Amino acid sequence: RSNIRMYLLMAMSFFLPLSKFLVPFFLLFLIIEWVLNKRWKDGVFDQNYLGFFLLFFFYQLFSLAWSENWDYGLADISAKLALLFLPILLGGKSDKLEFDRVLECFLFGVFSLFIVNLSFSFYHYLSTGNINHFFYSNLSPLFQVAYASMYCVFGILILIYFHVNSYKYYRN
């Protein structure tokens, strides 16, 4: 049962830096798997973490009171609504997931993003001769550059985490 969820988490973490369109589908499949396997009976892994996510969500709702742009605010809240589901979907008291494998898949996704960005820039450089395709907004065709750099920084933090914890890169 947990293999399906593990593969969905690994796929979602791989595609997170690559496609903003595929990740909601993996999240939907995780919700369906959660319902079909009746994981709500296991309970949430830690009520404090769920409380933190609920507090963040209610802060976002409360911040709409002084917002002038309600359309943007509601869209922002609906985008962050997934933050409420993640602790519920990821944690049951009896679950033993290998989150290092999920982080590993995220690193492969970041590396793939890096290859796509450089290939895109190199192709446009060869076709136009303009070196500016390697800089800032022209560099990332998949995401805004701030998101791409955020994924890369998170990938670096994961590498530091693996290094500090003497992560085994080769499994037997």
Side-chain angles (χ1 to χ4, degrees), residues 100 156-169:
D100 287 346
I156 291 169
L157 291 175
I158 292 171
L159 287 173
I160 291 170
Y161 165 78
F162 283 161
H163 178 73
V164 167
N165 292 314
S166 301
Y167 182 70
K168 304 292 183 207
Y169 293 100

Side-chain angles (χ1 to χ4, degrees), residues 117-162:
N117 286 348
L118 283 181
S119 300
F120 177 80
S121 295
F122 188 68
Y123 170 77
H124 284 291
Y125 169 70
L126 288 179
S127 63
T128 64
N130 187 357
I131 195 74
N132 288 330
H133 287 287
F134 287 100
F135 300 109
Y136 196 59
S137 63
N138 295 328
L139 180 63
S140 181
L142 301 177
F143 288 101
Q144 184 184 20
V145 178
Y147 285 110
S149 63
M150 178 186 64
Y151 292 136
C152 290
V153 168
F154 187 59
I156 291 169
L157 291 175
I158 292 171
L159 287 173
I160 291 170
Y161 165 78
F162 283 161

Side-chain angles (χ1 to χ4, degrees), residues 11 21 27 41 46 53 56 65 76 81 97 104 120 133 158:
F21 301 109
L27 188 59
K41 293 181 180 179
D46 190 350
F53 285 102
F56 176 74
D76 188 44
L81 191 59
L97 291 176
E104 213 175 58
F120 177 80
H133 287 287
I158 292 171

Side-chain angles (χ1 to χ4, degrees), residues 23-68:
V23 173
F25 290 110
F26 288 116
L27 188 59
L28 178 67
F29 292 143
L30 276 170
I31 292 171
I32 291 170
E33 188 272 341
W34 184 75
V35 169
L36 290 178
N37 288 322
K38 300 176 184 166
R39 292 194 184 275
W40 62 85
K41 293 181 180 179
D42 295 338
V44 178
F45 66 99
D46 190 350
Q47 298 297 329
N48 295 329
Y49 291 121
L50 183 62
F52 172 74
F53 285 102
L54 284 172
L55 184 66
F56 176 74
F57 183 70
F58 285 122
Y59 170 74
Q60 291 287 322
L61 281 175
F62 181 69
S63 67
L64 275 177
W66 62 79
S67 175
E68 294 178 7

